[in-house]
Amino acid sequence: MNQAFELNELDKQMPNIFAQCDTLYFDFGENNELDQKLFTWIKQLKKQNRIGKRVPEKLHFLAPIVAQMRLYKDSIEKSLMREAGRISVLAHKTAMKYAQQHNHEAQVTAKLEYTMHQHGSERTAFGSIVASGANTCTLHYRENNQSYNNNVLMLIDAGAEYQGYASDITTTFPTGGVFNEEQKAIYQAVLNTHNAVLEQCKPGADFDSLHALSCRQICIELRKLGILQGEVEDLITNKAYQRYYMHRIGHWIGCDVHDVGNYHDGNAWLPLQKDMALTVEPGIYIFPNKDLDEKWWDIGVRIEDSILITEKGYENLTPGLPRTVEEIESFLAT
C-alpha cells in the first residue's frame, strides 16, 4: 500500500482517490451504509466538475470478477488445500476410533476439533456435523448433543481451515466397528455412486451432468435393494430418488467451504477446468416410512471428498481415509 489515512478522514480522502480513477470496482449490495457513502462521494465529485475534478466513467460489480478468479487455484493455494485436507483426514480418523470408546456426539466433536487445532488448523471450515443413529438422516444436523449405542451409524461432516483455505469431508461408519447387513448395503450403494461420479470428474464435465449421474446411480442402487420399484428411467423422470437423496452432488471449495463462483453462465452449465476445486458428496437418507421395511429406517450415509480438477482427471485433496466396508471395519478393529 502506497498510502494510509486515519479512518476519520475517509469522507475527505475517498472523493480525491476516486477522481484519479477511470473505473471503479465495488461489491454493490453487501453493505447499505457503504453503498450510500459511495454514491455520496460520487455526488461530491460531480459538484466539483468545474474545478477539474472528474467522476469515474465506469462502475463495475466486483463480486463476479473476484469469484471467477477464485475458481482457479494456483500452486500456493493447492498446497494450502492439500494441508487442510491432510489435517482433516487425520481428525476424521482420530474421531472414528474415538467414537468407539465413547457414547456421546459432543465427546466425538470435541476430539475431532481438538485434533484439527492440534495439527495447525486455525479453525474449523464450518460447523462440524457429528450425527449418530437417526440423526444421520438430518442433512444439516448441528446439535451434536445426543448419546448413542454401539450398533448405529455415525456420520461426520467436518473440515479444517488452514491459512484461509477450507477442506470438507464426510465419513460414515458403524460405532460398534462392524456394519450390519442393511447398513452395509446402503453404504455400498453410496460408495458405488461416489466412485462413479469421481470417474467422471475431469475437464469438460459440469455439475449438472455429475449430479444427473449420481441420481441415476442411486436409482440403480436403491432398485437393486428393493427400496425403489420400477424402471430406472421412470424413477429418474419422476425424481423418485429425491425421497432418499435430496441435495446436489457438490459445490465449489476454496477460501470458503461453499466457495464463490458461478455454476452456470446463463446459457449453459460451466464446464470443469484444470485447477478448479469442488466436493463430491452423494448420500442416501432413509427416514421412517410406512411403505418400507423397518430394517432400513434411520440409516443415513454420505461420503464426501474434496477434489481438484487436473489436466486429464482429478486429484483427491482428502486422501487416506478408509472408504470401503472392508477398509473401515479393518481400521476400526486395529
Side-chain angles (χ1 to χ4, degrees), residues 198-205 272-275 308-315:
L198 284 177
E199 287 180 6
Q200 298 306 312
C201 287
K202 54 191 172 185
L272 298 180
Q273 298 180 43
K274 181 178 178 292
D275 296 331
L308 178 76
I309 300 299
T310 61
E311 286 186 5
K312 296 183 179 180
Y314 71 93
E315 173 191 345

Side-chain angles (χ1 to χ4, degrees), residues 167-214:
S167 183
D168 193 2
I169 299 172
T170 305
T171 52
T172 309
F173 58 94
T175 55
V178 179
F179 291 92
N180 67 31
E181 290 305 309
E182 289 73 33
Q183 293 168 349
K184 183 187 298 184
I186 298 300
Y187 186 89
Q188 190 62 51
V190 176
L191 183 61
N192 290 346
T193 304
H194 187 257
N195 290 339
V197 174
L198 284 177
E199 287 180 6
Q200 298 306 312
C201 287
K202 54 191 172 185
D206 60 63
F207 270 99
D208 197 49
S209 65
L210 295 178
H211 182 67
L213 173 59
S214 70

Side-chain angles (χ1 to χ4, degrees), residues 321-334:
L321 284 162
R323 282 306 197 191
T324 69
V325 168
E326 294 76 16
E327 288 170 349
I328 291 170
E329 292 183 344
S330 176
F331 174 74
L332 294 176
T334 58

Side-chain angles (χ1 to χ4, degrees), residues 133-138 243-244 285-300:
N135 297 330
T136 60
C137 296
T138 300
R243 188 171 193 173
Y244 306 106
Y285 316 89
I286 307 178
F287 291 95
N289 170 7
K290 62 182 178 60
D291 300 323
L292 195 62
D293 192 316
E294 289 186 23
K295 68 181 184 179
W296 300 111
W297 290 10
D298 295 330
I299 296 177

